[in-house]
Amino acid sequence: MRWWPQSLFGRLMLVLAGGMLVAQLLSAAFNFAERDRLLQKTSGMQQVQRVTDVVKLLDSLGPAERERIVAVLSVPPLVLSLHDAVIASPDEAAVGPRAMMFTSMLRAALGDARPIRVEPVESFNPARSAGSGYGRRQAMMGGGPGMDHAAAQGGPVLRTQVQLRDGRWARFDTELPQAAATLPWRLALTLLLLLCAVLALSFVAVRWITRPLHVLAMAAEGLGQDIDRPPLDEEGPLEVRRAAQAFNAMQRRLSHFIHDRTRILAAMSHDLKTPITRMRLRADLLDDDELRERFEADLKEMEAMVTHTLEFMRGLGGNEPRQAVDVMALLESLQSDNEAMGRSVRIEGRALQPFVAVASLLKRCLVNLIDNAVLYGGQATVTVEDTPLSLTLRVIDDGPGIAEAELEKVFEPFYRLEGSRSRQTGGTGLGLTIARNIAQTHGGDIALRNRPQGGLEVVLSLPRKAAVV
């Protein structure tokens, strides 16, 4: 089924085009058959009328005059000869429907019950005497009495034998027109023009019908990147307006839900800073140094969680406008900041052109990825792969990696691993969550994979076609 189109537009066009083509072929076949039937009937009536006229003329003439008339009238496609007796066919069952129809028409035209015999023959090959008019004409033309005229004409031949009033038999070898083997070019041209016109109208109609679905699909895809995107235009046919209204209502409900949740969580995280600060002041009053250090460590961890939660909620907002970001300048700035802190960060490859993004969000995403690599792997290497369709950034470290079963779980909010990637490093479990949300906001994604030689590779994929403002 590889040839079957994947889009609704392609499938509708294929069905309409196939149906129209089959209909046109059947119509051409019916017209062709009807034309041949009418031509054969008309030609048969002409031959019947001619045979009838000749029989009536021969009935009114004497023997000598008959011979002269036979010599004059025996001209293909109606060859005439006189015989004393009927010539019977060896195969009585080979008469056929054409001969039967010709017999019925001839009896109706003669209007009497005289003996008539009609049968198909293979060719004009009458057994003429050397002195007959037909034989003399063929001799003058350079051919013998056995000249195969049907071979030249190619049409079916009916042999009609009619008994005259004096008992002799008049035999007519009648060549009927052969059915056309090809479709008339005028009919073919007419059907082709009709097919093209219907296909053109079908193209316009199908495109008109499927375009709202395309717009709705693009809006649904853009909704995952920007919940506050402009609503759909509620215009067009009734069904399209209803679908647009339902989509806009869904977008408003989602936007209100997300914004309400963001405000509530941000407010809670912000309000937690006040009691944390009071608890830190009270901890400073403790006389037990070990107990005071434990309190301060717990309070520091709580403050870090609150701070990262606020950053996470701000990252979900993304209300800043998108602009062209110089990716290489951003990476070099982060490299300088890390080197100032004594960290090792290398950059390999180059971006071919700026990337359209929210600058602050893209910076936060890269900061989180590089910080993870430096904290858990000792150093970070950022490789840049740029194509006209996508921008791929790989952040590689030399750390212990992550168990395969945990590669997706680490993206869950507040999920932290034991061992080398634990709370003791200062993480809150939101860094990768924030980074992936930012990547998805820009139409991309983040994937983790363990390197065969050791260490973790974080792949940030950002499609350029989805990053249009």
Side-chain angles (χ1 to χ4, degrees):
M1 297 295 290
R2 293 181 179 178
W3 56 269
W4 188 250
Q6 298 300 315
S7 65
L8 179 61
F9 173 80
R11 293 184 179 184
L12 288 177
M13 284 301 302
L14 179 62
V15 171
L16 289 176
M20 283 301 305
L21 182 60
V22 172
Q24 294 293 72
L25 292 176
L26 292 177
S27 178
F30 291 151
N31 290 334
F32 197 32
E34 184 65 14
R35 187 203 64 166
D36 289 344
R37 189 186 68 82
L38 293 176
L39 287 177
Q40 292 174 4
K41 184 175 181 180
T42 303
S43 176
M45 289 298 298
Q46 292 177 350
Q47 298 297 340
V48 165
Q49 188 61 43
R50 187 176 180 186
V51 170
T52 301
D53 294 340
V54 172
V55 168
K56 292 181 178 180
L57 177 60
L58 294 177
D59 280 339
S60 63
L61 299 176
E65 293 176 338
R66 284 180 179 175
E67 293 295 336
R68 289 194 298 271
I69 292 298
V70 168
V72 173
L73 297 180
S74 183
V75 178
L78 184 63
V79 178
L80 173 61
S81 59
L82 297 176
H83 301 271
D84 294 331
V86 67
I87 301 178
S89 173
D91 188 3
E92 295 292 339
V95 175
R98 190 189 299 267
M100 296 175 62
M101 182 178 66
F102 195 86
T103 301
S104 61
M105 290 190 298
L106 183 57
R107 288 190 183 278
L110 290 173
D112 54 31
R114 70 178 68 202
I116 298 174
R117 187 180 186 90
V118 181
E119 56 191 355
V121 294
E122 293 182 357
S123 62
F124 282 108
N125 192 19
R128 305 288 194 272
S129 62
S132 66
Y134 180 83
R136 289 195 301 269
R137 185 178 295 105
Q138 295 303 318
M140 291 174 63
M141 294 173 62
M147 177 182 179
D148 192 353
H149 181 75
Q153 298 296 327
V157 179
L158 288 181
R159 175 165 295 169
T160 304
Q161 301 178 82
V162 182
Q163 189 176 36
L164 303 178
R165 290 183 178 177
D166 60 357
R168 298 201 70 188
W169 288 79
R171 189 172 74 184
F172 303 86
D173 286 342
T174 306
E175 183 181 24
L176 300 179
Q178 188 177 15
T182 58
L183 189 67
W185 68 271
R186 290 182 181 273
L187 178 59
L189 181 60
T190 301
L191 296 177
L192 179 60
L193 290 176
L194 180 60
L195 177 62
C196 293
V198 174
L199 288 180
L201 292 176
S202 300
F203 178 86
V204 175
V206 173
R207 175 63 69 183
W208 181 50
I209 293 173
T210 57
R211 179 170 178 77
L213 296 178
H214 175 72
V215 173
L216 185 62
M218 295 300 296
E221 183 178 356
L223 189 63
Q225 303 173 19
D226 183 10
I227 192 63
D228 296 319
R229 65 181 308 279
L232 290 176
D233 295 332
E234 298 177 1
E235 58 184 13
L238 177 61
E239 294 79 6
V240 175
R241 293 200 305 270
R242 288 180 176 175
Q245 292 169 359
F247 183 86
N248 291 336
M250 177 191 69
Q251 180 180 349
R252 288 192 297 269
R253 289 193 295 269
L254 288 175
S255 179
H256 292 161
F257 171 76
I258 292 176
H259 290 163
D260 290 344
R261 188 191 68 165
T262 301
R263 285 192 295 268
I264 292 173
L265 292 178
M268 292 176 59
S269 299
H270 182 271
D271 292 343
L272 283 174
K273 287 188 173 181
T274 300
I276 291 176
T277 302
R278 290 199 301 265
M279 293 175 66
R280 176 171 292 175
L281 293 175
R282 294 170 181 171
D284 291 338
L285 301 176
L286 295 175
D287 296 332
D288 190 338
D289 294 339
E290 181 180 358
L291 182 60
R292 184 174 62 253
E293 290 178 358
R294 291 180 181 178
F295 268 106
E296 290 178 350
D298 290 339
L299 291 174
K300 184 177 180 181
E301 182 177 352
M302 291 175 62
E303 186 175 13
M305 293 180 63
V306 170
T307 301
H308 283 84
T309 300
L310 288 174
E311 290 181 356
F312 175 62
M313 302 314 301
R314 286 197 296 268
L316 287 178
N319 295 322
E320 301 178 28
R322 298 191 181 192
Q323 57 185 348
V325 179
D326 189 339
V327 178
M328 296 308 302
L330 176 59
L331 289 175
E332 291 170 0
S333 173
L334 297 178
Q335 183 183 35
S336 299
D337 294 341
N338 280 274
E339 288 178 351
M341 292 184 293
R343 298 175 174 181
S344 174
V345 176
R346 293 186 304 164
I347 301 175
E348 299 178 356
R350 294 196 63 83
L352 301 178
Q353 55 186 338
F355 183 78
V356 179
V358 179
S360 62
L361 294 184
L362 183 60
K363 180 179 180 180
R364 184 179 303 159
C365 176
L366 292 174
V367 166
N368 290 351
L369 297 182
I370 293 175
D371 283 348
N372 279 346
V374 173
L375 289 174
Y376 305 128
Q379 63 178 3
T381 301
V382 182
T383 62
V384 183
E385 300 176 6
D386 197 3
T387 66
L389 295 179
S390 64
L391 174 66
T392 303
L393 302 176
R394 303 177 187 272
V395 182
I396 302 172
D397 63 44
D398 296 326
I402 299 176
E404 293 293 331
E406 306 285 340
L407 289 178
E408 280 297 319
K409 292 183 179 180
V410 293
F411 288 108
E412 298 177 4
F414 302 106
Y415 184 86
R416 288 171 294 192
L417 297 172
E418 298 297 331
S420 62
R421 298 181 187 267
S422 67
R423 298 187 180 186
Q424 299 175 359
T425 62
T428 59
L430 284 174
L432 289 177
T433 306
I434 294 173
R436 170 171 272 189
N437 283 336
I438 293 174
Q440 293 176 346
T441 299
H442 291 81
D445 201 0
I446 294 179
L448 304 181
R449 62 183 64 148
N450 290 307
R451 302 169 62 208
Q453 61 270 35
L456 187 69
E457 180 182 15
V458 183
V459 182
L460 170 61
S461 302
L462 299 172
R464 288 190 176 276
K465 62 181 180 179
V468 178
V469 179

